[in-house]
Amino acid sequence: MSIVIAVDGTAASGKGTLAKKLAAHFGFAHLDSGALYRLTALAVIEANGDPKAEADALRGAQTLDFNRAGDPKIRTDIVGQAASYVAAIPAVRAALLDFQRSFLAQPPGGSPGAVMDGRDIGTVIAPDATAKLYIDARPEIRARRRWQELKTMGIRREEGDLLRELNARDAADKSRPVSPLVQAPDAGLLDTSDLGIDAAFAAALDLVSPKIESALKDRQRG
Ligand code: CDP
């Protein structure tokens, strides 16, 4: 197993940005697991399927095109909502498990470690992760960040609608029977509500560094 940093948390909490920065800092590979669920949802929508129907959702997971992970289409709130529906279906999660575990076992580019962000990384995908973080922020702050993010993409939305959607999606993610969003007991909690990106990154680094530095040293010793 490589060195693994598991980053879980609520929607638009800043976990993706932190995961990317942590990966760059340690020279680790990064996987946004949410993109897998979003790509699954996109495949279902493009095939005119129903994201709540198991057969359609499973076909989406089996036909998703990872080359489209950078496609801005997957970042829309419609796809985000559909991602939450497909993510509640056990067969979909099972279909996406191997990809995620292989990524962690052998991070691309021969890198010694991987950072993965999502909802169930520290609890289900990598319960033995070297270090775990749980990222959260007050809902109003997260809605504002999502509003800003969508605006940059040229999408104008009402902030109040985004807040309602985020709250609904979090509630669904936390209450589903399969792989619910929950803070792992050994995850460090980081609330980014009142922190800018640099301060949030410094706090994340403080939480994970001791474990990661010691794992890297063990590796060098062989
Ligand atoms: O960017 P945002 O935080 O809004 O969402 P995301 O991380 O891209 O995830 C979109 C949806 O996929 C979530 O609402 C979850 O329902 C689902 N998801 C999941 O179930 N498990 C993961 N490891 C990652 C995402």
Side-chain angles (χ1 to χ4, degrees):
M1 196 67 170
S2 63
I3 299 169
V4 172
I5 306 178
V7 184
D8 291 304
T10 48
S13 56
K15 61 191 180 324
T17 303
L18 289 174
K20 261 188 231 129
K21 285 179 86 72
L22 287 169
H25 177 84
F26 291 111
F28 291 176
H30 168 241
L31 181 69
D32 161 17
S33 70
L36 299 175
Y37 295 91
R38 286 174 179 268
L39 285 166
T40 299
L42 183 67
V44 175
I45 291 168
E46 289 185 344
N48 292 317
D50 174 1
K52 287 184 179 171
E54 182 180 89
D56 290 359
L58 181 57
R59 202 168 310 115
Q62 288 162 342
T63 58
L64 72 79
D65 179 3
F66 195 65
N67 293 320
R68 292 179 71 186
D71 189 335
K73 264 192 203 161
I74 70 165
R75 296 292 147 201
T76 62
D77 35 309
I78 296 158
V79 173
Q81 181 60 67
S84 185
Y85 294 148
V86 300
I89 299 173
V92 169
R93 305 200 74 87
L96 299 177
L97 188 71
D98 277 356
F99 183 90
Q100 296 174 82
R101 290 248 170 94
S102 307
F103 188 97
L104 294 180
Q106 275 181 325
S111 132
V115 185
M116 197 179 288
D117 66 284
R119 301 291 186 288
D120 63 340
I121 311 307
T123 50
V124 175
I125 304 295
D128 299 328
T130 320
K132 299 180 187 178
L133 288 174
Y134 186 89
I135 315 295
D136 205 354
R138 291 190 295 278
E140 291 73 18
I141 303 255
R142 295 190 282 119
R144 162 120 304 221
R145 287 181 188 154
R146 188 49 45 97
W147 177 82
Q148 197 69 51
E149 190 186 335
L150 290 172
K151 197 175 128 198
T152 314
M153 288 163 51
I155 302 171
R156 292 256 171 200
R157 292 291 316 277
E158 283 295 324
E159 219 174 300
D161 291 342
L162 292 176
L163 176 61
R164 273 187 292 280
E165 286 166 16
L166 283 184
N167 280 333
R169 189 145 62 83
D170 281 347
D173 288 346
K174 287 177 180 175
S175 65
R176 67 187 175 206
V178 55
S179 296
L181 169 63
V182 58
Q183 183 183 349
D186 52 348
L189 173 65
L190 177 56
D191 188 316
T192 65
S193 300
D194 302 312
L195 303 175
I197 291 177
D198 290 344
F201 177 59
L205 211 48
D206 277 352
L207 287 167
V208 304
S209 272
K211 287 173 182 162
I212 301 304
E213 297 296 350
S214 126
L216 284 167
K217 272 194 201 112
D218 285 352
R219 233 160 215 254
Q220 273 164 5
R221 275 191 223 108

